[in-house]
Amino acid sequence: MSNEEKLRDYLKRVTADLRRTRQRVREVEAEKYEPIAIVGMGCRFPGEVRSPEDLWNLVAAGQDGISEFPTNRGWSSDLYDPDPENPGTTYTQYGGFLHDADRFDAAFFGISPREALAMDPQQRLLLEIAWETVEDAGLDPTALRGHSVGVFAGVLSSNYGSHLLIETPEEIQGYLSTGISNSVASGRVAYTFGFEGPAVTIDTACSSSLVAMHLAAHALRSGECSMALAGGVTIMATPTPFVDFSRQRGLAPDGRCKPFAAAADGTGWGEGVGLVLMERLSEAQRNGHQILAVIKGSAVNQDGASNGLAAPNGPSQERVIQQALANAQLTADEVDAVEAHGTGTRLGDPIEAQALLNTYGQHHTAERPLHLGSIKSNIGHTQAAAGVAGVIKMVQAMRHGTLPASLHIDQPSTHVDWDTGHVALLNEARPWPETDQARRAAVSSFGISGTNAHLILEAAPEDVTEATPAEEDPAPAVALPLSAKDPDALRDAAERLNDHFAENPGLTPADLAEPLTKRALFDHRAVMVTGRDDRDGTTTALQALADGRPHPSLIIGPDTLPANGGIVFVFPGQGSQWAGMG
């Protein structure tokens, strides 16, 4: 072989190596910035919100879930005192509460009543919402056992163990160390479901759930897990947050957050829990999973040595926004709306508004401003669940094509120079702006810890949101299977399904059938066979099961299905077990 031929052969090999190297660099870059799909959501929030659909209905109707203090937690009747000078009291008696936070189906998760009593209600709620979130994705939670599913949960101290540690009943002493440990909160979900990805509990105060989603996205991109549950929970087992912030005059007397409003007079505490199930977009598409929205990018930073340990810091907020935009590979003008932290305080809101004006506001126009709102006006400041509440709200808003109003805004705050940028407060509902780009929204959370988080959402790709085309010659009837661990739960499942059916008049029985077949199968079962378009017959039969009353087409026994509609069910007859808050 001549020298010329050797050189030509060498150059060919070098060129091939360069092509492979460039391809690998492109793959690494793609993995670093790959969008993350939200494939399922679950939540409980004030105002009887028990699902993402309930949350949207509350927000879209312009309602709030603020109520008086709960009566089932043993809080002193002398707690409320309108005189803010009295120690140990609070000058407000309102907040956003989960009044049924003491209820828990321990038997469903294989937990004894004694252990359930020793468990922080936040752990109980995470278990319940984890199950509902996976089911919302159209998946059977039991089928994910042994898979590398991560759990990233924002959890603050609820003080649930404070009275138990003083006088602990002997029968629950052995369960206390795990029951009231925040570190166990994420681990218990992983243990109960058999998930083998990272299980991490995060406490950065009010930014916890958004930080959890940020960390989950990084874990998915790095291959540490194949799917991830992320979000947060807050339950106030004692009134400590009210008493502490009353000392600082930081609470709104009526318990309502008034974000960026002239009338802002303090925050309003709330409770809640929310989780999203996340998966790399390419994997979600490959697996045929529903895609509710996409996380384009996120960022987390710290205030550092700012003007105060607990004071918000405008320059840090601007930096985290710019970092999130860079991570999403977007510019500020490509984001339509921001779901703000917006707690309704005279100190924090003006700082946040100015940071938004200095970043997003400089790249929008008077004709197309950045739209600004906060769900805290509907449900209060839900603390470790605040960020995920905003995410669920904005996912629903993008899907409905509506920017809902934020409440209790009399007029824009006079402490903000609104003329320095193009930002518009959502004091009324508006259609989502029509542009030549995908709908996008950002969500902010800032913790008293100084940890800030910003996350950017994008509407699901159109090619994956369309329903699977129907068969050319579909069967005239469909089967709707339901199952539960006890009869009460089965009837409750029928009632919830019927409510969902009634709230979505565009659905047919055929639309309900496929997701139901993917759920876990338990011993207590019901199957309804009905015409694929027979809404009336479906509603009647589901209500019969929910009420536990006779029905003309009701058949007892598992071996026979009715020919034209009806219910088949078996009730072996067990009672449900509940644990209270102690």
mmCIF file of all heavy atoms in Angstrom, residues 332-333 335-338 360-361 363-372 403 421-425 430 433:
data_model
loop_
_atom_site.group_PDB
_atom_site.id
_atom_site.type_symbol
_atom_site.label_atom_id
_atom_site.label_comp_id
_atom_site.label_asym_id
_atom_site.label_seq_id
_atom_site.Cartn_x
_atom_site.Cartn_y
_atom_site.Cartn_z
ATOM 1 N N ALA A 332 -37.285 34.923 27.136
ATOM 2 C CA ALA A 332 -38.364 35.382 28.019
ATOM 3 C C ALA A 332 -39.658 35.659 27.257
ATOM 4 O O ALA A 332 -40.752 35.458 27.791
ATOM 5 C CB ALA A 332 -37.916 36.623 28.768
ATOM 6 N N ASP A 333 -39.558 36.134 26.011
ATOM 7 C CA ASP A 333 -40.767 36.464 25.254
ATOM 8 C C ASP A 333 -41.532 35.224 24.808
ATOM 9 O O ASP A 333 -42.659 35.337 24.323
ATOM 10 C CB ASP A 333 -40.411 37.323 24.035
ATOM 11 C CG ASP A 333 -39.510 36.592 23.067
ATOM 12 O OD1 ASP A 333 -38.455 36.086 23.507
ATOM 13 O OD2 ASP A 333 -39.860 36.504 21.873
ATOM 14 N N VAL A 335 -42.518 32.848 26.827
ATOM 15 C CA VAL A 335 -43.352 32.388 27.953
ATOM 16 C C VAL A 335 -44.549 33.317 28.071
ATOM 17 O O VAL A 335 -44.401 34.541 28.124
ATOM 18 C CB VAL A 335 -42.542 32.370 29.266
ATOM 19 C CG1 VAL A 335 -43.436 32.004 30.449
ATOM 20 C CG2 VAL A 335 -41.366 31.395 29.151
ATOM 21 N N ASP A 336 -45.760 32.742 28.114
ATOM 22 C CA ASP A 336 -46.990 33.537 28.089
ATOM 23 C C ASP A 336 -47.421 34.030 29.464
ATOM 24 O O ASP A 336 -48.013 35.106 29.588
ATOM 25 C CB ASP A 336 -48.138 32.705 27.498
ATOM 26 C CG ASP A 336 -47.814 32.166 26.119
ATOM 27 O OD1 ASP A 336 -47.357 32.953 25.278
ATOM 28 O OD2 ASP A 336 -48.017 30.951 25.885
ATOM 29 N N ALA A 337 -47.184 33.224 30.500
ATOM 30 C CA ALA A 337 -47.726 33.540 31.825
ATOM 31 C C ALA A 337 -46.809 33.010 32.912
ATOM 32 O O ALA A 337 -46.065 32.051 32.692
ATOM 33 C CB ALA A 337 -49.124 32.935 31.986
ATOM 34 N N VAL A 338 -46.887 33.628 34.068
ATOM 35 C CA VAL A 338 -46.150 33.153 35.245
ATOM 36 C C VAL A 338 -47.132 32.936 36.384
ATOM 37 O O VAL A 338 -47.914 33.827 36.735
ATOM 38 C CB VAL A 338 -45.053 34.149 35.678
ATOM 39 C CG1 VAL A 338 -44.514 33.788 37.061
ATOM 40 C CG2 VAL A 338 -43.911 34.157 34.670
ATOM 41 N N TYR A 360 -38.934 38.995 32.522
ATOM 42 C CA TYR A 360 -39.959 38.770 31.495
ATOM 43 C C TYR A 360 -40.522 40.082 30.941
ATOM 44 O O TYR A 360 -40.760 40.219 29.739
ATOM 45 C CB TYR A 360 -41.103 37.935 32.081
ATOM 46 C CG TYR A 360 -40.765 36.488 32.332
ATOM 47 C CD1 TYR A 360 -40.583 36.021 33.632
ATOM 48 C CD2 TYR A 360 -40.624 35.600 31.286
ATOM 49 C CE1 TYR A 360 -40.286 34.688 33.878
ATOM 50 C CE2 TYR A 360 -40.329 34.258 31.518
ATOM 51 C CZ TYR A 360 -40.157 33.811 32.810
ATOM 52 O OH TYR A 360 -39.861 32.491 33.041
ATOM 53 N N GLY A 361 -40.767 41.031 31.822
ATOM 54 C CA GLY A 361 -41.448 42.262 31.413
ATOM 55 C C GLY A 361 -40.706 43.057 30.363
ATOM 56 O O GLY A 361 -41.321 43.792 29.570
ATOM 57 N N HIS A 363 -39.157 41.852 27.841
ATOM 58 C CA HIS A 363 -39.177 41.158 26.546
ATOM 59 C C HIS A 363 -40.595 40.920 26.037
ATOM 60 O O HIS A 363 -40.785 40.193 25.053
ATOM 61 C CB HIS A 363 -38.428 39.832 26.662
ATOM 62 C CG HIS A 363 -36.978 40.003 27.021
ATOM 63 N ND1 HIS A 363 -35.996 40.242 26.091
ATOM 64 C CD2 HIS A 363 -36.362 40.010 28.240
ATOM 65 C CE1 HIS A 363 -34.833 40.376 26.696
ATOM 66 N NE2 HIS A 363 -35.015 40.227 28.004
ATOM 67 N N HIS A 364 -41.575 41.504 26.716
ATOM 68 C CA HIS A 364 -42.957 41.449 26.245
ATOM 69 C C HIS A 364 -43.378 42.851 25.793
ATOM 70 O O HIS A 364 -42.631 43.821 25.963
ATOM 71 C CB HIS A 364 -43.889 40.914 27.345
ATOM 72 C CG HIS A 364 -43.824 39.425 27.498
ATOM 73 N ND1 HIS A 364 -42.736 38.783 28.042
ATOM 74 C CD2 HIS A 364 -44.700 38.439 27.155
ATOM 75 C CE1 HIS A 364 -42.945 37.477 28.044
ATOM 76 N NE2 HIS A 364 -44.131 37.240 27.509
ATOM 77 N N THR A 365 -44.557 42.934 25.238
ATOM 78 C CA THR A 365 -45.050 44.215 24.720
ATOM 79 C C THR A 365 -46.388 44.546 25.359
ATOM 80 O O THR A 365 -47.019 43.685 26.004
ATOM 81 C CB THR A 365 -45.231 44.140 23.200
ATOM 82 O OG1 THR A 365 -46.250 43.167 22.890
ATOM 83 C CG2 THR A 365 -43.926 43.748 22.504
ATOM 84 N N ALA A 366 -46.830 45.787 25.156
ATOM 85 C CA ALA A 366 -48.130 46.190 25.688
ATOM 86 C C ALA A 366 -49.243 45.361 25.047
ATOM 87 O O ALA A 366 -50.265 45.069 25.682
ATOM 88 C CB ALA A 366 -48.352 47.679 25.430
ATOM 89 N N GLU A 367 -49.060 44.986 23.784
ATOM 90 C CA GLU A 367 -50.074 44.185 23.087
ATOM 91 C C GLU A 367 -50.036 42.726 23.542
ATOM 92 O O GLU A 367 -51.055 42.035 23.517
ATOM 93 C CB GLU A 367 -49.843 44.239 21.574
ATOM 94 C CG GLU A 367 -50.065 45.608 20.936
ATOM 95 C CD GLU A 367 -48.927 46.578 21.264
ATOM 96 O OE1 GLU A 367 -47.788 46.110 21.492
ATOM 97 O OE2 GLU A 367 -49.205 47.806 21.309
ATOM 98 N N ARG A 368 -48.877 42.267 23.975
ATOM 99 C CA ARG A 368 -48.734 40.882 24.433
ATOM 100 C C ARG A 368 -47.904 40.865 25.719
ATOM 101 O O ARG A 368 -46.733 40.520 25.739
ATOM 102 C CB ARG A 368 -48.071 40.024 23.359
ATOM 103 C CG ARG A 368 -48.038 38.550 23.719
ATOM 104 C CD ARG A 368 -47.543 37.686 22.571
ATOM 105 N NE ARG A 368 -47.223 36.370 23.091
ATOM 106 C CZ ARG A 368 -45.985 35.940 23.359
ATOM 107 N NH1 ARG A 368 -44.960 36.725 23.139
ATOM 108 N NH2 ARG A 368 -45.778 34.733 23.834
ATOM 109 N N PRO A 369 -48.538 41.249 26.834
ATOM 110 C CA PRO A 369 -47.808 41.290 28.112
ATOM 111 C C PRO A 369 -47.645 39.900 28.707
ATOM 112 O O PRO A 369 -48.305 38.936 28.290
ATOM 113 C CB PRO A 369 -48.717 42.152 28.986
ATOM 114 C CG PRO A 369 -50.087 41.860 28.468
ATOM 115 C CD PRO A 369 -49.943 41.682 26.981
ATOM 116 N N LEU A 370 -46.778 39.801 29.689
ATOM 117 C CA LEU A 370 -46.700 38.593 30.498
ATOM 118 C C LEU A 370 -47.876 38.606 31.465
ATOM 119 O O LEU A 370 -48.107 39.590 32.176
ATOM 120 C CB LEU A 370 -45.401 38.562 31.295
ATOM 121 C CG LEU A 370 -45.272 37.364 32.246
ATOM 122 C CD1 LEU A 370 -44.815 36.133 31.485
ATOM 123 C CD2 LEU A 370 -44.319 37.674 33.390
ATOM 124 N N HIS A 371 -48.640 37.515 31.510
ATOM 125 C CA HIS A 371 -49.799 37.438 32.406
ATOM 126 C C HIS A 371 -49.364 36.843 33.751
ATOM 127 O O HIS A 371 -48.617 35.863 33.799
ATOM 128 C CB HIS A 371 -50.905 36.601 31.768
ATOM 129 C CG HIS A 371 -51.465 37.226 30.526
ATOM 130 N ND1 HIS A 371 -52.312 38.308 30.567
ATOM 131 C CD2 HIS A 371 -51.270 36.939 29.215
ATOM 132 C CE1 HIS A 371 -52.629 38.663 29.334
ATOM 133 N NE2 HIS A 371 -52.022 37.847 28.492
ATOM 134 N N LEU A 372 -49.865 37.425 34.826
ATOM 135 C CA LEU A 372 -49.368 37.111 36.166
ATOM 136 C C LEU A 372 -50.515 36.783 37.112
ATOM 137 O O LEU A 372 -51.487 37.539 37.213
ATOM 138 C CB LEU A 372 -48.583 38.312 36.700
ATOM 139 C CG LEU A 372 -47.981 38.215 38.101
ATOM 140 C CD1 LEU A 372 -46.959 37.097 38.168
ATOM 141 C CD2 LEU A 372 -47.351 39.547 38.483
ATOM 142 N N LEU A 403 -56.631 31.439 30.943
ATOM 143 C CA LEU A 403 -55.860 31.970 32.062
ATOM 144 C C LEU A 403 -56.856 32.419 33.125
ATOM 145 O O LEU A 403 -57.529 33.437 32.974
ATOM 146 C CB LEU A 403 -55.003 33.149 31.600
ATOM 147 C CG LEU A 403 -53.814 32.785 30.696
ATOM 148 C CD1 LEU A 403 -53.298 34.020 29.973
ATOM 149 C CD2 LEU A 403 -52.702 32.135 31.517
ATOM 150 N N GLY A 421 -42.053 47.597 32.863
ATOM 151 C CA GLY A 421 -42.097 46.409 32.005
ATOM 152 C C GLY A 421 -43.527 46.083 31.659
ATOM 153 O O GLY A 421 -44.470 46.731 32.146
ATOM 154 N N HIS A 422 -43.701 45.083 30.825
ATOM 155 C CA HIS A 422 -45.043 44.735 30.351
ATOM 156 C C HIS A 422 -45.521 43.450 31.032
ATOM 157 O O HIS A 422 -45.306 42.339 30.545
ATOM 158 C CB HIS A 422 -45.041 44.591 28.833
ATOM 159 C CG HIS A 422 -44.658 45.857 28.123
ATOM 160 N ND1 HIS A 422 -45.467 46.969 28.095
ATOM 161 C CD2 HIS A 422 -43.529 46.192 27.449
ATOM 162 C CE1 HIS A 422 -44.886 47.941 27.420
ATOM 163 N NE2 HIS A 422 -43.699 47.497 27.023
ATOM 164 N N VAL A 423 -46.151 43.635 32.188
ATOM 165 C CA VAL A 423 -46.713 42.545 32.983
ATOM 166 C C VAL A 423 -48.143 42.918 33.334
ATOM 167 O O VAL A 423 -48.401 44.041 33.790
ATOM 168 C CB VAL A 423 -45.890 42.306 34.266
ATOM 169 C CG1 VAL A 423 -46.586 41.296 35.169
ATOM 170 C CG2 VAL A 423 -44.481 41.828 33.920
ATOM 171 N N ALA A 424 -49.075 41.982 33.124
ATOM 172 C CA ALA A 424 -50.497 42.248 33.387
ATOM 173 C C ALA A 424 -51.025 41.299 34.444
ATOM 174 O O ALA A 424 -50.915 40.072 34.304
ATOM 175 C CB ALA A 424 -51.308 42.103 32.096
ATOM 176 N N LEU A 425 -51.586 41.857 35.510
ATOM 177 C CA LEU A 425 -52.204 41.039 36.554
ATOM 178 C C LEU A 425 -53.478 40.391 36.047
ATOM 179 O O LEU A 425 -54.301 41.036 35.392
ATOM 180 C CB LEU A 425 -52.531 41.896 37.775
ATOM 181 C CG LEU A 425 -51.432 42.129 38.808
ATOM 182 C CD1 LEU A 425 -51.951 43.023 39.917
ATOM 183 C CD2 LEU A 425 -50.941 40.812 39.366
ATOM 184 N N ARG A 430 -59.024 35.230 31.258
ATOM 185 C CA ARG A 430 -58.814 35.595 29.857
ATOM 186 C C ARG A 430 -58.500 34.350 29.052
ATOM 187 O O ARG A 430 -57.892 33.403 29.568
ATOM 188 C CB ARG A 430 -57.641 36.583 29.730
ATOM 189 C CG ARG A 430 -57.848 37.855 30.523
ATOM 190 C CD ARG A 430 -56.625 38.740 30.528
ATOM 191 N NE ARG A 430 -56.783 39.832 31.492
ATOM 192 C CZ ARG A 430 -55.853 40.730 31.741
ATOM 193 N NH1 ARG A 430 -54.689 40.681 31.123
ATOM 194 N NH2 ARG A 430 -56.068 41.690 32.626
ATOM 195 N N PRO A 433 -53.510 33.443 25.208
ATOM 196 C CA PRO A 433 -53.149 34.175 23.986
ATOM 197 C C PRO A 433 -52.844 33.238 22.824
ATOM 198 O O PRO A 433 -52.150 32.223 22.992
ATOM 199 C CB PRO A 433 -51.893 34.950 24.400
ATOM 200 C CG PRO A 433 -51.935 35.005 25.882
ATOM 201 C CD PRO A 433 -52.630 33.765 26.340
#
